[in-house]
PDB file of all heavy atoms in Angstrom:
ATOM      1  N   CYS U   1       0.824  -1.213   0.003  1.00 97.00           N
ATOM      2  CA  CYS U   1       0.004  -0.001  -0.006  1.00 97.00           C
ATOM      3  C   CYS U   1       0.852   1.260   0.002  1.00 97.00           C
ATOM      4  O   CYS U   1       0.543   2.225  -0.710  1.00 97.00           O
ATOM      5  CB  CYS U   1      -0.914   0.005   1.230  1.00 97.00           C
ATOM      6  SG  CYS U   1      -2.559  -0.588   0.884  1.00 97.00           S
ATOM      7  N   LEU U   2       1.902   1.257   0.805  1.00 97.00           N
ATOM      8  CA  LEU U   2       2.764   2.444   0.876  1.00 97.00           C
ATOM      9  C   LEU U   2       3.484   2.665  -0.444  1.00 97.00           C
ATOM     10  O   LEU U   2       3.637   3.812  -0.904  1.00 97.00           O
ATOM     11  CB  LEU U   2       3.757   2.304   2.027  1.00 97.00           C
ATOM     12  CG  LEU U   2       3.130   2.463   3.423  1.00 97.00           C
ATOM     13  CD1 LEU U   2       4.065   1.929   4.489  1.00 97.00           C
ATOM     14  CD2 LEU U   2       2.782   3.927   3.690  1.00 97.00           C
ATOM     15  N   ASN U   3       3.920   1.591  -1.095  1.00 97.00           N
ATOM     16  CA  ASN U   3       4.537   1.737  -2.418  1.00 97.00           C
ATOM     17  C   ASN U   3       3.513   2.288  -3.420  1.00 97.00           C
ATOM     18  O   ASN U   3       3.854   3.129  -4.264  1.00 97.00           O
ATOM     19  CB  ASN U   3       5.077   0.397  -2.890  1.00 97.00           C
ATOM     20  CG  ASN U   3       6.482   0.118  -2.374  1.00 97.00           C
ATOM     21  OD1 ASN U   3       7.302   1.030  -2.242  1.00 97.00           O
ATOM     22  ND2 ASN U   3       6.769  -1.132  -2.080  1.00 97.00           N
ATOM     23  N   ASN U   4       2.286   1.811  -3.339  1.00 97.00           N
ATOM     24  CA  ASN U   4       1.254   2.321  -4.232  1.00 97.00           C
ATOM     25  C   ASN U   4       0.932   3.785  -3.929  1.00 97.00           C
ATOM     26  O   ASN U   4       0.666   4.563  -4.855  1.00 97.00           O
ATOM     27  CB  ASN U   4      -0.006   1.454  -4.118  1.00 97.00           C
ATOM     28  CG  ASN U   4       0.172   0.073  -4.686  1.00 97.00           C
ATOM     29  OD1 ASN U   4       1.204  -0.221  -5.306  1.00 97.00           O
ATOM     30  ND2 ASN U   4      -0.791  -0.800  -4.504  1.00 97.00           N
ATOM     31  N   CYS U   5       0.932   4.141  -2.656  1.00 97.00           N
ATOM     32  CA  CYS U   5       0.733   5.555  -2.291  1.00 97.00           C
ATOM     33  C   CYS U   5       1.819   6.418  -2.921  1.00 97.00           C
ATOM     34  O   CYS U   5       1.539   7.503  -3.442  1.00 97.00           O
ATOM     35  CB  CYS U   5       0.770   5.715  -0.772  1.00 97.00           C
ATOM     36  SG  CYS U   5      -0.721   5.205   0.089  1.00 97.00           S
ATOM     37  N   ALA U   6       3.066   5.942  -2.866  1.00 97.00           N
ATOM     38  CA  ALA U   6       4.168   6.712  -3.450  1.00 97.00           C
ATOM     39  C   ALA U   6       3.964   6.906  -4.949  1.00 97.00           C
ATOM     40  O   ALA U   6       4.189   7.992  -5.476  1.00 97.00           O
ATOM     41  CB  ALA U   6       5.493   5.985  -3.175  1.00 97.00           C
ATOM     42  N   ALA U   7       3.530   5.853  -5.634  1.00 97.00           N
ATOM     43  CA  ALA U   7       3.296   5.957  -7.090  1.00 97.00           C
ATOM     44  C   ALA U   7       2.179   6.972  -7.368  1.00 97.00           C
ATOM     45  O   ALA U   7       2.293   7.772  -8.305  1.00 97.00           O
ATOM     46  CB  ALA U   7       2.943   4.588  -7.656  1.00 97.00           C
ATOM     47  N   ALA U   8       1.116   6.933  -6.582  1.00 96.00           N
ATOM     48  CA  ALA U   8       0.007   7.867  -6.810  1.00 96.00           C
ATOM     49  C   ALA U   8       0.438   9.307  -6.495  1.00 96.00           C
ATOM     50  O   ALA U   8       0.067  10.247  -7.212  1.00 96.00           O
ATOM     51  CB  ALA U   8      -1.185   7.464  -5.949  1.00 96.00           C
ATOM     52  N   GLU U   9       1.204   9.489  -5.421  1.00 96.00           N
ATOM     53  CA  GLU U   9       1.678  10.837  -5.072  1.00 96.00           C
ATOM     54  C   GLU U   9       2.538  11.395  -6.205  1.00 96.00           C
ATOM     55  O   GLU U   9       2.445  12.582  -6.540  1.00 96.00           O
ATOM     56  CB  GLU U   9       2.490  10.779  -3.775  1.00 96.00           C
ATOM     57  CG  GLU U   9       1.704  10.396  -2.531  1.00 96.00           C
ATOM     58  CD  GLU U   9       0.834  11.517  -1.972  1.00 96.00           C
ATOM     59  OE1 GLU U   9       0.562  12.485  -2.686  1.00 96.00           O
ATOM     60  OE2 GLU U   9       0.423  11.401  -0.809  1.00 96.00           O
ATOM     61  N   LEU U  10       3.381  10.545  -6.803  1.00 96.00           N
ATOM     62  CA  LEU U  10       4.206  11.018  -7.919  1.00 96.00           C
ATOM     63  C   LEU U  10       3.353  11.446  -9.097  1.00 96.00           C
ATOM     64  O   LEU U  10       3.627  12.458  -9.737  1.00 96.00           O
ATOM     65  CB  LEU U  10       5.171   9.914  -8.340  1.00 96.00           C
ATOM     66  CG  LEU U  10       6.474   9.792  -7.546  1.00 96.00           C
ATOM     67  CD1 LEU U  10       7.271   8.593  -8.026  1.00 96.00           C
ATOM     68  CD2 LEU U  10       7.303  11.065  -7.678  1.00 96.00           C
ATOM     69  N   LYS U  11       2.320  10.679  -9.391  1.00 96.00           N
ATOM     70  CA  LYS U  11       1.426  11.037 -10.495  1.00 96.00           C
ATOM     71  C   LYS U  11       0.710  12.358 -10.224  1.00 96.00           C
ATOM     72  O   LYS U  11       0.368  13.091 -11.157  1.00 96.00           O
ATOM     73  CB  LYS U  11       0.398   9.926 -10.712  1.00 96.00           C
ATOM     74  CG  LYS U  11       0.968   8.640 -11.277  1.00 96.00           C
ATOM     75  CD  LYS U  11       1.431   8.820 -12.716  1.00 96.00           C
ATOM     76  CE  LYS U  11       1.863   7.502 -13.335  1.00 96.00           C
ATOM     77  NZ  LYS U  11       2.319   7.679 -14.739  1.00 96.00           N
ATOM     78  N   LEU U  12       0.513  12.666  -8.953  1.00 95.00           N
ATOM     79  CA  LEU U  12      -0.149  13.922  -8.560  1.00 95.00           C
ATOM     80  C   LEU U  12       0.867  15.057  -8.406  1.00 95.00           C
ATOM     81  O   LEU U  12       0.491  16.164  -8.010  1.00 95.00           O
ATOM     82  CB  LEU U  12      -0.927  13.717  -7.265  1.00 95.00           C
ATOM     83  CG  LEU U  12      -2.137  12.783  -7.366  1.00 95.00           C
ATOM     84  CD1 LEU U  12      -2.650  12.396  -5.982  1.00 95.00           C
ATOM     85  CD2 LEU U  12      -3.247  13.423  -8.176  1.00 95.00           C
ATOM     86  N   GLY U  13       2.161  14.790  -8.692  1.00 95.00           N
ATOM     87  CA  GLY U  13       3.176  15.833  -8.627  1.00 95.00           C
ATOM     88  C   GLY U  13       3.636  16.178  -7.236  1.00 95.00           C
ATOM     89  O   GLY U  13       4.127  17.285  -7.001  1.00 95.00           O
ATOM     90  N   ARG U  14       3.512  15.238  -6.294  1.00 95.00           N
ATOM     91  CA  ARG U  14       3.872  15.513  -4.904  1.00 95.00           C
ATOM     92  C   ARG U  14       5.066  14.647  -4.509  1.00 95.00           C
ATOM     93  O   ARG U  14       4.911  13.622  -3.845  1.00 95.00           O
ATOM     94  CB  ARG U  14       2.667  15.291  -3.994  1.00 95.00           C
ATOM     95  CG  ARG U  14       1.471  16.158  -4.354  1.00 95.00           C
ATOM     96  CD  ARG U  14       0.469  16.280  -3.254  1.00 95.00           C
ATOM     97  NE  ARG U  14      -0.283  15.080  -3.043  1.00 95.00           N
ATOM     98  CZ  ARG U  14      -1.610  14.963  -3.238  1.00 95.00           C
ATOM     99  NH1 ARG U  14      -2.293  16.014  -3.686  1.00 95.00           N
ATOM    100  NH2 ARG U  14      -2.234  13.838  -2.990  1.00 95.00           N
ATOM    101  N   ALA U  15       6.249  15.069  -4.927  1.00 95.00           N
ATOM    102  CA  ALA U  15       7.450  14.269  -4.735  1.00 95.00           C
ATOM    103  C   ALA U  15       7.792  14.085  -3.260  1.00 95.00           C
ATOM    104  O   ALA U  15       8.244  12.994  -2.852  1.00 95.00           O
ATOM    105  CB  ALA U  15       8.624  14.896  -5.471  1.00 95.00           C
ATOM    106  N   GLU U  16       7.614  15.116  -2.437  1.00 95.00           N
ATOM    107  CA  GLU U  16       7.945  14.993  -1.012  1.00 95.00           C
ATOM    108  C   GLU U  16       7.050  13.945  -0.333  1.00 95.00           C
ATOM    109  O   GLU U  16       7.517  13.161   0.478  1.00 95.00           O
ATOM    110  CB  GLU U  16       7.799  16.347  -0.323  1.00 95.00           C
ATOM    111  CG  GLU U  16       8.914  17.319  -0.611  1.00 95.00           C
ATOM    112  CD  GLU U  16      10.263  16.871  -0.008  1.00 95.00           C
ATOM    113  OE1 GLU U  16      10.239  16.044   0.926  1.00 95.00           O
ATOM    114  OE2 GLU U  16      11.305  17.337  -0.479  1.00 95.00           O
ATOM    115  N   ASP U  17       5.749  13.949  -0.670  1.00 96.00           N
ATOM    116  CA  ASP U  17       4.848  12.948  -0.085  1.00 96.00           C
ATOM    117  C   ASP U  17       5.196  11.556  -0.585  1.00 96.00           C
ATOM    118  O   ASP U  17       5.073  10.575   0.149  1.00 96.00           O
ATOM    119  CB  ASP U  17       3.401  13.301  -0.428  1.00 96.00           C
ATOM    120  CG  ASP U  17       2.934  14.568   0.275  1.00 96.00           C
ATOM    121  OD1 ASP U  17       3.394  14.817   1.407  1.00 96.00           O
ATOM    122  OD2 ASP U  17       2.130  15.307  -0.302  1.00 96.00           O
ATOM    123  N   ALA U  18       5.594  11.452  -1.845  1.00 96.00           N
ATOM    124  CA  ALA U  18       6.028  10.159  -2.395  1.00 96.00           C
ATOM    125  C   ALA U  18       7.246   9.642  -1.645  1.00 96.00           C
ATOM    126  O   ALA U  18       7.333   8.450  -1.311  1.00 96.00           O
ATOM    127  CB  ALA U  18       6.311  10.280  -3.876  1.00 96.00           C
ATOM    128  N   LEU U  19       8.198  10.535  -1.380  1.00 96.00           N
ATOM    129  CA  LEU U  19       9.403  10.143  -0.639  1.00 96.00           C
ATOM    130  C   LEU U  19       9.048   9.678   0.760  1.00 96.00           C
ATOM    131  O   LEU U  19       9.585   8.671   1.262  1.00 96.00           O
ATOM    132  CB  LEU U  19      10.382  11.313  -0.598  1.00 96.00           C
ATOM    133  CG  LEU U  19      11.715  11.061   0.108  1.00 96.00           C
ATOM    134  CD1 LEU U  19      12.467   9.922  -0.556  1.00 96.00           C
ATOM    135  CD2 LEU U  19      12.557  12.337   0.111  1.00 96.00           C
ATOM    136  N   ALA U  20       8.120  10.373   1.417  1.00 96.00           N
ATOM    137  CA  ALA U  20       7.702   9.989   2.769  1.00 96.00           C
ATOM    138  C   ALA U  20       7.067   8.608   2.748  1.00 96.00           C
ATOM    139  O   ALA U  20       7.269   7.794   3.676  1.00 96.00           O
ATOM    140  CB  ALA U  20       6.738  11.017   3.321  1.00 96.00           C
ATOM    141  N   ALA U  21       6.291   8.306   1.726  1.00 97.00           N
ATOM    142  CA  ALA U  21       5.649   6.988   1.629  1.00 97.00           C
ATOM    143  C   ALA U  21       6.707   5.901   1.425  1.00 97.00           C
ATOM    144  O   ALA U  21       6.619   4.812   2.026  1.00 97.00           O
ATOM    145  CB  ALA U  21       4.631   6.968   0.492  1.00 97.00           C
ATOM    146  N   CYS U  22       7.726   6.172   0.597  1.00 97.00           N
ATOM    147  CA  CYS U  22       8.827   5.216   0.413  1.00 97.00           C
ATOM    148  C   CYS U  22       9.537   4.953   1.723  1.00 97.00           C
ATOM    149  O   CYS U  22       9.859   3.798   2.069  1.00 97.00           O
ATOM    150  CB  CYS U  22       9.814   5.736  -0.602  1.00 97.00           C
ATOM    151  SG  CYS U  22       9.208   5.803  -2.279  1.00 97.00           S
ATOM    152  N   GLU U  23       9.818   6.012   2.456  1.00 96.00           N
ATOM    153  CA  GLU U  23      10.536   5.845   3.721  1.00 96.00           C
ATOM    154  C   GLU U  23       9.719   5.098   4.746  1.00 96.00           C
ATOM    155  O   GLU U  23      10.258   4.303   5.535  1.00 96.00           O
ATOM    156  CB  GLU U  23      10.977   7.226   4.230  1.00 96.00           C
ATOM    157  CG  GLU U  23      12.069   7.833   3.335  1.00 96.00           C
ATOM    158  CD  GLU U  23      12.408   9.265   3.656  1.00 96.00           C
ATOM    159  OE1 GLU U  23      11.592   9.910   4.375  1.00 96.00           O
ATOM    160  OE2 GLU U  23      13.452   9.759   3.183  1.00 96.00           O
ATOM    161  N   ALA U  24       8.393   5.310   4.730  1.00 96.00           N
ATOM    162  CA  ALA U  24       7.530   4.540   5.630  1.00 96.00           C
ATOM    163  C   ALA U  24       7.544   3.052   5.271  1.00 96.00           C
ATOM    164  O   ALA U  24       7.570   2.189   6.153  1.00 96.00           O
ATOM    165  CB  ALA U  24       6.097   5.079   5.565  1.00 96.00           C
ATOM    166  N   ALA U  25       7.551   2.757   3.960  1.00 97.00           N
ATOM    167  CA  ALA U  25       7.645   1.351   3.528  1.00 97.00           C
ATOM    168  C   ALA U  25       8.954   0.731   3.956  1.00 97.00           C
ATOM    169  O   ALA U  25       8.980  -0.434   4.401  1.00 97.00           O
ATOM    170  CB  ALA U  25       7.471   1.275   2.001  1.00 97.00           C
ATOM    171  N   LEU U  26      10.037   1.484   3.868  1.00 97.00           N
ATOM    172  CA  LEU U  26      11.352   0.941   4.231  1.00 97.00           C
ATOM    173  C   LEU U  26      11.518   0.776   5.735  1.00 97.00           C
ATOM    174  O   LEU U  26      12.312  -0.045   6.183  1.00 97.00           O
ATOM    175  CB  LEU U  26      12.447   1.840   3.657  1.00 97.00           C
ATOM    176  CG  LEU U  26      12.573   1.784   2.130  1.00 97.00           C
ATOM    177  CD1 LEU U  26      13.483   2.897   1.625  1.00 97.00           C
ATOM    178  CD2 LEU U  26      13.079   0.417   1.676  1.00 97.00           C
ATOM    179  N   ARG U  27      10.774   1.547   6.516  1.00 96.00           N
ATOM    180  CA  ARG U  27      10.813   1.311   7.974  1.00 96.00           C
ATOM    181  C   ARG U  27      10.201  -0.044   8.318  1.00 96.00           C
ATOM    182  O   ARG U  27      10.597  -0.686   9.293  1.00 96.00           O
ATOM    183  CB  ARG U  27      10.080   2.435   8.702  1.00 96.00           C
ATOM    184  CG  ARG U  27      10.876   3.729   8.785  1.00 96.00           C
ATOM    185  CD  ARG U  27      10.275   4.696   9.802  1.00 96.00           C
ATOM    186  NE  ARG U  27       8.991   5.210   9.387  1.00 96.00           N
ATOM    187  CZ  ARG U  27       8.846   6.304   8.625  1.00 96.00           C
ATOM    188  NH1 ARG U  27       9.905   6.967   8.185  1.00 96.00           N
ATOM    189  NH2 ARG U  27       7.644   6.736   8.301  1.00 96.00           N
ATOM    190  N   ILE U  28       9.255  -0.475   7.526  1.00 96.00           N
ATOM    191  CA  ILE U  28       8.632  -1.799   7.741  1.00 96.00           C
ATOM    192  C   ILE U  28       9.474  -2.908   7.115  1.00 96.00           C
ATOM    193  O   ILE U  28       9.680  -3.955   7.706  1.00 96.00           O
ATOM    194  CB  ILE U  28       7.206  -1.814   7.140  1.00 96.00           C
ATOM    195  CG1 ILE U  28       6.315  -0.744   7.797  1.00 96.00           C
ATOM    196  CG2 ILE U  28       6.566  -3.191   7.308  1.00 96.00           C
ATOM    197  CD1 ILE U  28       4.979  -0.560   7.113  1.00 96.00           C
ATOM    198  N   SER U  29       9.984  -2.645   5.903  1.00 96.00           N
ATOM    199  CA  SER U  29      10.743  -3.645   5.162  1.00 96.00           C
ATOM    200  C   SER U  29      11.983  -2.979   4.556  1.00 96.00           C
ATOM    201  O   SER U  29      11.941  -2.491   3.422  1.00 96.00           O
ATOM    202  CB  SER U  29       9.857  -4.247   4.058  1.00 96.00           C
ATOM    203  OG  SER U  29      10.553  -5.205   3.316  1.00 96.00           O
ATOM    204  N   PRO U  30      13.091  -2.923   5.316  1.00 96.00           N
ATOM    205  CA  PRO U  30      14.268  -2.162   4.870  1.00 96.00           C
ATOM    206  C   PRO U  30      14.851  -2.619   3.542  1.00 96.00           C
ATOM    207  O   PRO U  30      15.560  -1.831   2.888  1.00 96.00           O
ATOM    208  CB  PRO U  30      15.267  -2.367   6.014  1.00 96.00           C
ATOM    209  CG  PRO U  30      14.429  -2.722   7.202  1.00 96.00           C
ATOM    210  CD  PRO U  30      13.265  -3.468   6.673  1.00 96.00           C
ATOM    211  N   ASP U  31      14.591  -3.850   3.135  1.00 95.00           N
ATOM    212  CA  ASP U  31      15.161  -4.364   1.895  1.00 95.00           C
ATOM    213  C   ASP U  31      14.132  -4.475   0.779  1.00 95.00           C
ATOM    214  O   ASP U  31      14.297  -5.277  -0.143  1.00 95.00           O
ATOM    215  CB  ASP U  31      15.813  -5.724   2.138  1.00 95.00           C
ATOM    216  CG  ASP U  31      17.101  -5.617   2.942  1.00 95.00           C
ATOM    217  OD1 ASP U  31      17.708  -4.528   2.940  1.00 95.00           O
ATOM    218  OD2 ASP U  31      17.489  -6.606   3.577  1.00 95.00           O
ATOM    219  N   ASN U  32      13.079  -3.693   0.846  1.00 96.00           N
ATOM    220  CA  ASN U  32      12.097  -3.745  -0.220  1.00 96.00           C
ATOM    221  C   ASN U  32      12.660  -3.045  -1.457  1.00 96.00           C
ATOM    222  O   ASN U  32      12.926  -1.838  -1.444  1.00 96.00           O
ATOM    223  CB  ASN U  32      10.798  -3.065   0.238  1.00 96.00           C
ATOM    224  CG  ASN U  32       9.726  -3.138  -0.826  1.00 96.00           C
ATOM    225  OD1 ASN U  32       9.529  -2.224  -1.612  1.00 96.00           O
ATOM    226  ND2 ASN U  32       8.989  -4.243  -0.854  1.00 96.00           N
TER     227      ASN U  32
END
C-alpha cells in the first residue's frame, strides 16, 4: 500500500509525499 501511495503521489506531482511513503515502507521492510 505504501509503495502504491508513493506511485500515486508522484502522479499527482507531490514528490515529497512520495518520498515519505517510500521511507515509511522501508521502515517496515528495509530491503524492499
Side-chain angles (χ1 to χ4, degrees):
C1 263
L2 287 164
N3 275 325
N4 290 353
C5 283
E9 295 283 18
L10 276 176
K11 290 291 186 180
L12 293 167
R14 301 198 288 244
E16 284 293 340
D17 292 327
L19 182 59
C22 291
E23 290 172 345
L26 291 169
R27 283 194 292 272
I28 300 171
S29 180
D31 288 337
N32 183 265

